[in-house]
Amino acid sequence: KAKREEKNTYVFYTPSINETLYEQVMIEKYLRQAIKENQFVVHYQPQINLMNENTVGLEALIRWQHPKLGLIPPNKFIRIAEETGLIVSIGEWVLRNACEQINSLNSRGYSSFRLSVNLSSIQFSQRGLVEMIQGIISDTGMDPTNLVLEVTESTLVENIEFTVEQLNKLKAIGVQIALDDFGTLYSSLNYLKHFPMDIIKIDRSFIRNIEYDDRDLAILKTIIRLGKDLKLKVLAEGIETERQLNILKKYQCDEGQGYYFDPPISLKEVQKR
Ligand code: C2E
Ligand code: MG
Ligand code: MG
Ligand code: MG
C-alpha cells in the first residue's frame, strides 16, 4: 500500500482513486447482499403546513443498516445503486414498504398523511414504471391521491417529450408529482408550464441564507410567487431556524420540512404523533 509520503514516486498509482474504486466495488457487492438480507429501513421526515404547523405529509427516506458498517446514509450508496441498476429493485422496495406502513397508519385512524417517495431518474425512465406503481397501490390499498412522487429537475429535462408522456400517465393513476430540489439545476422556468406538477420543493440551499442574504431572499420570494401563480403547492426544504420559518410564513410559503421541526424519524416515532 502506498503511503502518503511516497505519493510522488507513484505517478500513475494514486491511492485515493484506488481506494474510491475499491469502496465502490465493495458497496456494490454489499448492496446486492443488502437487498437479499433486508438491511434497508425507511425513515420519515414530517412535512408541515406552515400556517397551522400541523404535520400534513411524510417523506420516505431510505436508510441502510449494515450489520458491520453501521448506518449508511443514502448519499453514500444511491449513486452506486443507480450506476449498477440496483436502484430499480431498491426503489420498488421503498415504495411498497412505505405505502404499506403509511396506509396502515392512515387507516388506523391517524390523520391521513400524504406520503412522498423519491423516484430516481433510472426508475423514471423504466418501462413498466406506471404499472409497477399501480400494482403497489392496488396491493397495499394506498390512496393514490395521498401518494406523491418526488422527481428532480435533472430527471425531467433528460427527454422532455418522454417526461410529459410519463407524467401524464402517472397523473392518470391519481398520484401527485413534486419537483424536488427546485432551483439547483438551471431552472428553466419554461418547462414548468408543460409538466403536470403539484408541488415544488425549494432546495435548502435557497433557505440556508435567507436571514442574511437579500439576494437569496429575493429569489425565494420569486419562487414562492411563481409557484402560487402556477397553482402549485410550495414547500421549503431544510428549515432549521425559527427566523427562517417566520420569513417563509411572511411570504406565505405553504409547507416546509427541516430539522427545526423534525429530522427523518422511524415509523415507531411517527406512530407516537
Ligand atoms: P432529498 O429527497 O432532497 O431529501 C432531503 C434530504 O435533506 C434528506 O437527506 C434529509 O434528511 C435532509 N434534511 C432534511 N431536513 C434538513 C435540514 O433541516 N437540514 C439539513 N442539512 N438537511 C435536512 P437524506 O435522508 O440523507 O437523503 C439524501 C438524498 O438521498 C435525498 O434528498 C434523495 O435525493 C436521496 N434519497 C433518499 N431516499 C431515497 C430513496 O428511497 N430513493 C431515491 N431514489 N433517493 C433517495
Ligand atoms: Mg426528496
Ligand atoms: Mg430535496
Ligand atoms: Mg436532495
Side-chain angles (χ1 to χ4, degrees):
K1 235 190 329 180
K3 285 196 207 117
R4 199 173 285 276
E5 305 87 78
E6 294 166 340
K7 198 165 58 182
N8 294 334
T9 58
Y10 291 86
V11 180
F12 300 106
Y13 178 83
T14 64
S16 63
I17 287 174
N18 197 54
E19 271 159 29
T20 303
L21 273 174
Y22 176 75
E23 208 178 83
Q24 287 190 17
V25 171
M26 289 312 282
I27 290 177
E28 179 180 347
K29 183 178 162 229
Y30 286 144
L31 269 176
R32 292 182 191 278
Q33 249 167 25
I35 295 172
K36 280 193 228 134
E37 295 172 16
N38 253 299
Q39 294 168 0
F40 297 112
V41 284
V42 181
H43 281 189
Y44 298 95
Q45 187 174 37
Q47 298 179 327
I48 311 293
N49 174 322
L50 297 186
M51 296 310 136
N52 57 24
E53 298 196 15
N54 287 336
T55 298
V56 289
L58 299 166
E59 178 177 4
L61 293 159
I62 192 172
R63 302 291 180 256
W64 180 8
Q65 184 66 63
H66 190 275
K68 287 203 198 82
L69 303 174
L71 200 69
I72 306 169
N75 293 339
K76 279 262 172 195
F77 66 88
I78 291 288
R79 192 181 45 79
I80 296 170
E82 288 176 334
E83 285 167 4
T84 52
L86 292 170
I87 191 68
V88 172
S89 44
I90 295 172
E92 183 172 344
W93 178 86
V94 171
L95 183 67
R96 183 176 293 279
N97 210 263
C99 282
E100 270 167 11
Q101 295 186 331
I102 301 312
N103 183 58
S104 88
L105 208 71
N106 282 345
S107 50
R108 270 184 286 143
Y110 289 84
S111 49
S112 90
F113 292 128
R114 211 175 55 203
L115 168 66
S116 295
V117 179
N118 292 285
L119 214 59
S120 149
S121 64
I122 309 289
Q123 290 176 279
F124 189 80
S125 55
Q126 270 263 305
R127 216 174 290 145
L129 171 78
V130 182
E131 292 75 9
M132 182 273 280
I133 295 171
Q134 177 63 66
I136 289 178
I137 288 170
S138 314
D139 293 349
T140 60
M142 180 77 197
D143 174 359
T145 63
N146 264 340
L147 180 61
V148 181
L149 302 172
E150 295 196 0
V151 289
T152 62
E153 291 173 283
S154 50
T155 299
L156 299 181
V157 299
E158 262 172 36
N159 178 345
I160 306 283
E161 235 173 277
F162 173 79
T163 292
V164 172
E165 204 180 296
Q166 191 79 320
L167 289 179
N168 282 327
K169 283 190 201 160
L170 289 169
K171 295 302 297 176
I173 63 173
V175 300
Q176 300 189 53
I177 308 293
L179 185 48
D180 203 354
D181 304 342
F182 182 76
T184 46
L185 203 61
Y186 40 83
S187 297
S188 154
L189 300 175
N190 185 46
Y191 66 65
L192 279 178
K193 77 174 183 204
H194 296 295
F195 296 158
M197 314 283 326
D198 302 281
I199 301 168
I200 51 179
K201 300 186 68 176
I202 308 173
D203 192 71
R204 76 163 180 271
S205 58
F206 291 99
I207 312 302
R208 197 180 295 137
N209 297 317
I210 47 172
E211 299 158 72
Y212 320 106
D213 191 330
D214 288 342
R215 292 164 302 178
D216 276 347
L217 186 59
I219 294 170
L220 175 84
K221 286 196 287 200
T222 305
I223 297 176
I224 295 174
R225 187 73 261 155
L226 173 76
K228 288 189 167 279
D229 288 347
L230 291 170
K231 308 271 186 291
L232 300 168
K233 196 164 274 171
V234 183
L235 182 151
E237 293 192 277
I239 303 175
E240 293 184 355
T241 71
E242 190 173 11
R243 282 184 65 195
Q244 291 169 345
L245 169 63
N246 287 334
I247 293 169
L248 289 159
K249 276 169 130 169
K250 180 174 167 196
Y251 295 107
Q252 282 158 37
C253 184
D254 302 301
E255 296 180 5
Q257 64 186 95
Y259 298 162
Y260 175 75
F261 298 110
D262 311 271
I265 53 180
S266 68
L267 178 68
K268 257 211 173 93
E269 290 170 280
V270 176
Q271 285 166 337
K272 289 187 201 147
R273 330 199 118 217

